[in-house]
Amino acid sequence: MKQQKQSFCDTEYGALKKVAVCEPHHIAIRDVINETQKKYEKEGLNVELALKQHRDFTSELEKHGVDVIHLEPKEHFPEQVFTRDIGFTLGQTIFVSEMAQKVRHGEEEHLKDWLKQSKISYYNLLGDKIEGGDVVIDGHNIYIGVSERTDEGSIEHLQSLLPQYAVTSIPFPHKYLHLDCIFNVLSPSEAIIFPGVMSEFDEEMLTSRYDCIRVCEKEQFTLGTNVLSIGDRKVFSLPVNKKVNEELRSRGYHVIEVDISEIIKSGGSFRCCTMPVLRSKA
């Protein structure tokens, strides 16, 4: 009998089968580590509302056939809801690297504990800083943002480990946090981009490869690019990003709107809140 894969991902849009999340029981802005948090630092976050919104989101994932794995929330990890950053699945390998921000140190160990308990193998990128929010996968092509959280040397090391892939590094201003806050792939031919912030060369390269939905500045701030594809042209997107959702629908996407507006005050949306463990081959 053919053994079922425990982990696999070769795109951002293959059918999502299994995903790791973490409920925001301890979400808080303790150390301001992104532009969004600067805006909401004084206001703070409503934990009960964030929990309700997260449960609405994961319930909707389950309705669409996704196996949702809940990592145990730990009190000393206020950013733990953003599971995307602590690792990324590429091919059949889950890569775990070191978190760049001190407030997030240790989240990797918690992920590794779960992987060991689940008997899922992983590759530990010791000494390398590559956060999953900077890694956008589309078959042979891997786009990795050079950010405050992911450095060029770590990207070069990853490329040396993956000669079968074409790894393209994309620098951008650190205020945008991760690559998936300005660029995301929707299908083999379509992507979503916030124009004018990466180099002209990189933007032309991406817009020549993909027919891009261009996100305005207002909807970039509300993380319009940070959608989550679950396969079969189904995409999770925030209700507030009306222009993005209108454009997605006009292109034949089924937009699943769930309000997680309290969570995004800490700097991440649907893609940030999910670490795909298993997708079907696109």
Side-chain angles (χ1 to χ4, degrees):
M1 190 172 76
K2 190 176 180 182
Q3 189 176 9
Q4 192 175 15
K5 290 175 182 173
Q6 288 186 297
S7 57
F8 181 80
C9 182
D10 69 342
T11 67
E12 298 297 331
Y13 46 82
L16 186 60
K17 300 295 184 183
K18 183 180 292 189
V19 68
V21 304
C22 185
E23 288 193 342
H25 282 273
H26 309 293
I27 192 170
I29 302 174
R30 292 184 197 167
D31 298 331
V32 175
I33 58 173
N34 60 57
E35 293 297 311
T36 313
Q37 288 185 353
K38 282 182 185 177
K39 180 176 179 180
Y40 296 106
E41 181 186 12
K42 291 180 180 176
E43 177 185 325
L45 304 175
N46 183 324
V47 175
E48 289 306 312
L49 179 57
L51 278 167
K52 180 192 178 299
Q53 291 179 348
H54 193 270
R55 286 165 185 165
D56 289 345
F57 170 43
T58 55
S59 175
E60 200 64 33
L61 281 170
E62 289 171 341
K63 284 180 191 173
H64 286 85
V66 181
D67 180 10
V68 180
I69 307 300
H70 291 269
L71 300 180
E72 184 187 353
K74 301 287 189 180
E75 190 174 354
H76 45 290
F77 295 143
E79 308 281 332
Q80 202 178 1
V81 66
F82 303 127
T83 53
R84 173 73 62 160
D85 301 328
I86 53 180
F88 55 93
T89 307
L90 182 49
Q92 293 188 57
T93 304
I94 294 178
F95 290 89
V96 183
S97 65
E98 294 181 8
M99 303 299 287
Q101 295 287 344
K102 187 177 180 181
V103 71
R104 303 199 66 178
H105 289 176
E107 288 185 41
E108 319 94 317
E109 299 305 316
H110 189 44
L111 173 63
K112 285 186 277 188
D113 287 344
W114 174 75
L115 290 168
K116 289 170 189 172
Q117 288 166 13
S118 304
K119 295 182 169 54
I120 298 175
S121 61
Y122 64 90
Y123 188 98
N124 200 4
L125 288 163
L126 283 171
D128 285 330
K129 290 182 171 60
I130 302 180
E131 294 197 1
D134 281 319
V135 181
V136 177
I137 301 165
D138 189 14
H140 173 69
N141 292 305
I142 314 297
Y143 308 103
I144 305 184
V146 182
S147 68
E148 194 172 37
R149 314 285 190 88
T150 299
D151 62 66
E152 191 78 63
S154 298
I155 297 171
E156 289 172 4
H157 180 219
L158 184 66
Q159 173 69 93
S160 72
L161 297 171
L162 303 169
Q164 70 274 36
Y165 291 97
V167 177
T168 302
S169 59
I170 301 178
F172 59 90
H174 293 172
K175 66 178 281 189
Y176 295 107
L177 188 58
H178 288 124
L179 181 61
D180 63 9
C181 296
I182 59 169
F183 174 72
N184 201 350
V185 174
L186 298 165
S187 78
S189 59
E190 293 173 305
I192 187 166
I193 194 169
F194 177 54
V197 292
M198 60 181 72
S199 75
E200 189 176 339
F201 176 85
D202 287 334
E203 190 169 318
E204 284 183 3
M205 177 267 294
L206 293 172
T207 54
S208 68
R209 289 184 183 181
Y210 301 98
D211 179 12
C212 287
I213 295 173
R214 287 167 169 78
V215 177
C216 67
E217 188 171 3
K218 180 183 177 184
E219 293 196 359
Q220 186 284 321
F221 187 77
T222 46
L223 299 172
T225 63
N226 203 260
V227 297
L228 174 70
S229 297
I230 60 169
D232 197 26
R233 297 180 76 79
K234 295 176 182 176
V235 180
F236 278 84
S237 183
L238 287 167
V240 70
N241 293 324
K242 296 184 185 304
K243 290 181 180 177
V244 166
N245 296 345
E246 184 181 344
E247 183 68 26
L248 284 165
R249 289 187 177 107
S250 75
R251 292 168 179 246
Y253 288 91
H254 173 58
V255 180
I256 306 164
E257 293 189 8
V258 178
D259 182 11
I260 58 166
S261 54
E262 196 64 20
I263 293 169
I264 77 162
K265 290 177 182 178
S266 198
S269 189
F270 296 109
R271 191 177 189 273
C272 295
C273 291
T274 49
M275 192 198 85
V277 175
L278 182 65
R279 285 188 186 269
S280 293
K281 192 169 180 64

